[in-house]
Amino acid sequence: MYAITDPSTGKTTQTYPTATDADITAAVDAAHAATAWGRSSSVAERAALLRRLGELHVQHRAELATNIVKEMGKPLEEAEGEIDFCVDIYHYYADHAEEFLADEELTVTSGPGRAVVRRAPVGVLLGIMPWNFPAYQVARFAAPNLALGNTIVLKHAPQCPATAALLERLCAEAGFPVGAYVNVYATNEQIAQVIADPRVQGVSLTGSERAGAAVAEIAGRHLKKAVLELGGSDPFIVLSTDDLDAVVEAAVAARLDNTGQACNAAKRFVVISDLYDTFTEKFTAGLLARQSGAPLSSVAAADTLARQVDAAVAEGATLHTTGERSGAYFPAGVLTGLTTDHATARQELFGPVAMIFQAADEEDALRIANDTPYGLGSYVFTTDPAQAKRIADRIEAGMVFINGVGAEGAELPFGGIKRSGYGRELGRPGIEEFVNKKLIRTVA
């Protein structure tokens, strides 16, 4: 089940043993035992460990990036950039943990005395991570929770076992105690048992809608809090510009990030009628010219994308592409002639294929953008600040980026609404998800 299969060749180069039930029990035992560290250590002590963990990511940047390329096919430069972002995240929480976790004095109006909210760890958490950002997804879950003193049982994607093992090793080298971060090569059935374990206080999943629904159901049944970051079909709205070439460049970058395999990548391009023809021509040429040539994560991923594209064409859409599908390699493409009535318009295309929609005006652009089951991110390009504010206020998404792409940061909360999930990671909100906000009221 856990194996490295090079997507560029389709060959499995290494396999890892799936955990036994005894292994899973031992992992939860260790994480539960380590909660004593989480409750007795100071925030400053934990912040120092996070800083060291970030430094170890710098030292092991090449090894981490190489593993990512072998496991899921990411271009090397992008894999190295992913590790750099991880460093930012670990150092961000190292820098700000004491500020975020300081006692919050409350104004008491109901009687004498004083009251504070003290932020404390809740205990053991389960993290279920995807393959598309093997190190970054872990960092944004692990960093704030280790800063809090929560302990982590981590199930990574089956195709990322080497990265999973290395991250566990780096946590140990950084000085976190045994059990603070435990990697498990678990089955789905075993994960259901972990969620049900009364010592586990919550679960965070980044993955598919189906996986999110399954985990949320189990968590709800056992009264466990969940954070879910699921799919996305982010709109990229073009309403006006005084530099169309720059907008096209941003659009191409937003679609090709991670070979199109990012939940918050721009996937639906909604363009005002006056700019539609020129944008479509320039964007199509740019997308096809700048595709990385990297494979998708697996042959199965390419098969899924092929079925979706074929279905769109069968519905009447036109595919603009060059090159041929081969194994996990999928050529970049642009689908035109789409409306919100097409079934494909309501799906997430996880790969280097873009959908373009023509909008009559601002109101129509908003209608198209919001006509989706997803609500993760969004991008708005306009020269009118008032229009940008109107769109940002009315767009149904967890994140709005105006006149820019690639603007995420460790300090900025990440998450969505609707079928894109719930909860937030990164920034101050990321450390507020799995925390006991304990009221301490002193009357006299």
Side-chain angles (χ1 to χ4, degrees), residues 35-397:
T35 59
W37 157 82
R39 292 188 171 92
S40 62
S41 58
S42 69
V43 179
E45 289 169 340
R46 298 193 296 270
L49 297 179
L50 282 180
R51 185 167 302 284
R52 176 59 180 154
L53 183 56
E55 293 167 352
L56 287 171
H57 275 64
V58 175
Q59 294 176 23
H60 292 270
R61 181 177 187 256
E63 184 180 2
L64 283 161
T66 299
N67 281 346
I68 290 171
V69 173
K70 290 179 180 178
E71 289 172 331
M72 54 75 60
K74 190 189 301 282
L76 179 60
E77 183 178 355
E78 293 187 26
E80 292 170 341
E82 178 179 339
I83 304 309
D84 296 340
F85 199 178
C86 293
V87 176
D88 290 344
I89 292 168
Y90 288 116
H91 286 176
Y92 173 78
Y93 284 105
D95 290 339
H96 295 280
E98 288 190 281
E99 169 196 348
F100 292 163
L101 300 176
D103 282 356
E104 178 185 353
E105 189 83 23
L106 302 179
T107 300
V108 177
T109 61
S110 57
R114 62 187 295 266
V116 299
V117 171
R118 180 160 298 159
R119 287 165 170 79
V122 294
V124 182
L125 302 176
L126 171 65
I128 304 172
M129 298 293 110
W131 49 261
N132 58 334
F133 289 91
Y136 158 67
Q137 303 278 11
V138 172
R140 70 187 198 188
F141 164 62
N145 285 300
L146 290 173
L148 251 171
N150 291 324
T151 61
I152 291 169
V153 176
L154 199 291
K155 179 209 177 295
H156 218 312
Q159 69 196 82
C160 300
T163 298
L166 180 53
L167 293 175
E168 182 185 41
R169 193 186 90 202
L170 295 184
C171 283
E173 289 183 17
F176 286 97
V178 173
Y181 181 105
V182 187
N183 174 62
V184 291
Y185 297 129
T187 65
N188 291 338
E189 291 75 18
Q190 289 169 332
I191 286 303
Q193 296 167 16
V194 173
I195 298 172
D197 192 304
R199 296 170 296 178
V200 175
Q201 301 303 310
V203 55
S204 179
L205 175 140
T206 298
S208 68
E209 288 180 75
R210 185 172 68 173
V215 165
E217 181 182 0
I218 299 168
R221 191 183 314 140
H222 295 281
L223 301 179
K224 307 294 177 70
K225 179 172 182 178
V227 168
L228 303 177
E229 196 272 279
L230 309 177
S233 188
D234 293 8
F236 186 109
I237 304 170
V238 183
L239 296 171
S240 62
T241 178
D242 50 18
D243 188 348
L244 184 59
D245 288 341
V247 174
V248 168
E249 184 177 350
V252 170
R255 178 72 287 239
L256 291 181
D257 180 37
N258 201 28
T259 321
Q261 300 167 112
C263 298
N264 64 322
K267 300 184 177 82
R268 296 178 299 127
F269 295 81
V270 183
V271 186
I272 203 79
S273 296
D274 291 348
L275 297 173
Y276 177 83
D277 289 340
T278 306
F279 176 90
T280 300
E281 179 183 353
K282 289 177 176 286
F283 175 71
T284 301
L287 192 76
L288 301 187
R290 287 183 52 190
Q291 57 185 309
S292 68
L296 297 189
S297 63
S298 65
V299 172
D303 287 342
T304 297
L305 183 58
R307 286 193 295 270
Q308 291 173 301
V309 171
D310 289 346
V313 172
E315 282 190 291
T318 300
L319 174 65
H320 309 266
T321 188
T322 58
E324 298 292 334
R325 155 83 192 283
S326 176
Y329 289 91
F330 200 100
V334 175
L335 289 167
T336 59
L338 289 163
T339 71
T340 53
D341 292 331
H342 285 80
T344 307
R346 306 186 65 77
Q347 298 174 9
E348 178 181 29
L349 302 186
F350 220 56
V353 177
M355 296 181 275
I356 304 185
F357 300 81
Q358 184 170 347
D361 52 25
E362 175 185 322
E363 196 67 27
D364 193 37
L366 262 172
R367 177 191 64 80
I368 295 169
N370 287 336
D371 192 0
T372 174
Y374 299 103
L376 188 54
S378 58
Y379 305 86
V380 180
F381 282 76
T382 176
T383 57
D384 181 349
Q387 184 179 57
K389 183 180 184 304
R390 289 195 303 271
I391 297 289
D393 286 345
R394 294 180 60 194
I395 202 159
E396 296 170 3

Side-chain angles (χ1 to χ4, degrees), residues 8-28:
S8 66
T9 63
K11 294 181 178 178
T12 299
T13 58
Q14 191 171 358
T15 60
Y16 291 69
T18 303
T20 65
D21 289 346
D23 293 333
I24 299 300
T25 299
V28 177

